[in-house]
Amino acid sequence: ETVLCNSAECASSDKLPSHKPKSVSKYSFGSLDQPSATMAELAATADAVLLLVTSMPSTTIVEGAQANLRNIFRGKKIQVEEIDGVDANNKTLRSEMFALSNLRGQYPQVFIRSGGTLKFVGDAEAVKSLNDCEDIPAEVLRDHPHIETFSKVFAAFLPQTSAPPPPPPAPSKRILEGIDNVMPSAHPTHHPSDGANATARGYVILGRHDSWTASPPLTMDINGAPHAVVQEEHDYMVRGLALARLCPTGSLDVVVTCMDGSKVECTIRVQQVH
């Protein structure tokens, strides 16, 4: 909350007090034997947020308002330059800032120094209101662009947010080795789905037993038809497949269902054995 200072505080605008709390940080220009900084000189320096405060607050209300502003800017990770209004070195600058804001004798006040000019933002209540507007839904702010928010007013001083991390890559499909056995055989085997006269001596190697650590494979779905997985001596296998017909392009996406019900997407890469 911003309040008018009392007579003692206003008097301090023209006279340096004899005591200042050591715990209050201040930003002062020049030294006691140097002329007071002017607003033009201040504007010529780097862009910044300026906080006009008093190191001798006359009431706890003023003290609390200053602390609240410090907390807001600290929470937003914005560094501010504090100008102590009761410091004699800042007498000229303080008077010019009062003239710019038209709030003589009030503490605290917030200004923005940008591009060589000073702009008055508001008192403690105005900045608190800007911060409260951050809670307005985004769609409301979009439909009412005249509404000012803290992030809009102080956009140039907010830390740059890093780009969101890229989405994790899609899990790669497990590659299975398919063997299309076209070598002549005196005893061809048949698979029920391949027709009575079609030889089906192709097979798919799903991998060694210890490569399926989560759950053993149970069936392999090829074009909607489940095929039983057999645990052989070293590997899990699916036999009796006419791979030349099932995957004429040499590659086929399948889904393996495990004993725990989980499903694993796989790709069969087929090679022919003559």
Side-chain angles (χ1 to χ4, degrees), residues 220-244:
M220 184 170 66
D221 192 327
I222 303 178
N223 296 332
H227 298 260
V229 176
V230 178
Q231 179 176 344
E232 299 190 2
E233 183 177 359
H234 300 293
D235 300 288
Y236 290 109
M237 308 281 290
V238 175
R239 294 187 178 273
L241 301 174
L243 292 178

Side-chain angles (χ1 to χ4, degrees), residues 14-272:
D14 299 316
K15 185 177 180 181
L16 184 67
S18 59
H19 172 72
K20 295 178 183 177
K22 293 183 179 179
S23 61
V24 178
S25 62
K26 61 185 178 65
Y27 189 96
S28 179
F29 296 89
S31 63
L32 289 175
D33 56 356
Q34 290 179 334
S36 172
T38 64
M39 195 156 61
E41 293 169 338
L42 178 62
T45 54
D47 294 354
V49 176
L50 307 180
L51 182 58
L52 179 60
V53 298
T54 171
S55 59
M56 295 292 289
S58 58
T59 68
T60 56
I61 295 177
V62 174
E63 186 177 14
Q66 293 183 162
N68 185 52
L69 280 183
R70 291 186 180 107
N71 288 334
I72 289 176
F73 286 113
R74 188 179 299 114
K76 301 290 185 181
K77 294 181 172 56
I78 295 178
Q79 292 186 342
V80 300
E81 294 180 4
E82 290 195 5
I83 300 173
D84 187 359
V86 302
D87 192 313
N89 294 322
N90 297 327
K91 179 180 178 180
T92 302
L93 175 61
R94 179 203 62 223
S95 298
E96 292 181 348
M97 297 177 89
F98 281 162
L100 180 62
S101 68
N102 201 28
L103 296 175
R104 182 167 297 276
Q106 291 192 27
Y107 296 100
Q109 298 183 33
V110 178
F111 298 79
I112 287 178
R113 179 177 66 217
S114 177
T117 60
L118 279 179
K119 173 187 175 183
F120 174 61
V121 176
D123 58 10
E125 190 61 34
V127 176
K128 179 179 180 299
S129 178
L130 289 173
N131 193 43
D132 291 342
C133 286
E134 294 292 304
D135 296 329
I136 298 176
E139 58 271 18
V140 175
L141 293 175
R142 184 183 61 246
D143 296 338
H144 300 83
H146 62 280
I147 297 177
E148 295 283 6
T149 64
F150 188 97
S151 58
K152 186 185 297 185
V153 173
F154 296 99
F157 305 97
L158 288 167
Q160 295 295 322
T161 56
S162 58
S172 57
K173 294 182 178 180
R174 186 165 185 153
I175 304 301
L176 307 180
E177 183 180 4
I179 304 298
D180 184 23
N181 187 358
V182 295
M183 295 179 64
S185 173
H187 304 285
T189 58
H190 299 270
H191 191 274
S193 62
D194 297 326
N197 299 320
T199 59
R201 293 188 294 137
Y203 56 90
V204 174
I205 305 171
L206 281 75
R208 298 182 61 86
H209 304 156
D210 56 8
S211 68
W212 291 82
T213 57
S215 180
L218 184 63
T219 61
M220 184 170 66
D221 192 327
I222 303 178
N223 296 332
H227 298 260
V229 176
V230 178
Q231 179 176 344
E232 299 190 2
E233 183 177 359
H234 300 293
D235 300 288
Y236 290 109
M237 308 281 290
V238 175
R239 294 187 178 273
L241 301 174
L243 292 178
R245 181 178 62 80
L246 291 173
C247 45
T249 63
S251 179
L252 179 67
D253 291 335
V254 298
V255 177
V256 174
T257 301
C258 299
M259 289 186 178
D260 63 358
S262 61
K263 297 183 181 298
V264 179
E265 294 186 355
C266 305
T267 298
I268 301 174
R269 300 285 172 80
V270 179
Q271 55 180 317
Q272 285 190 338

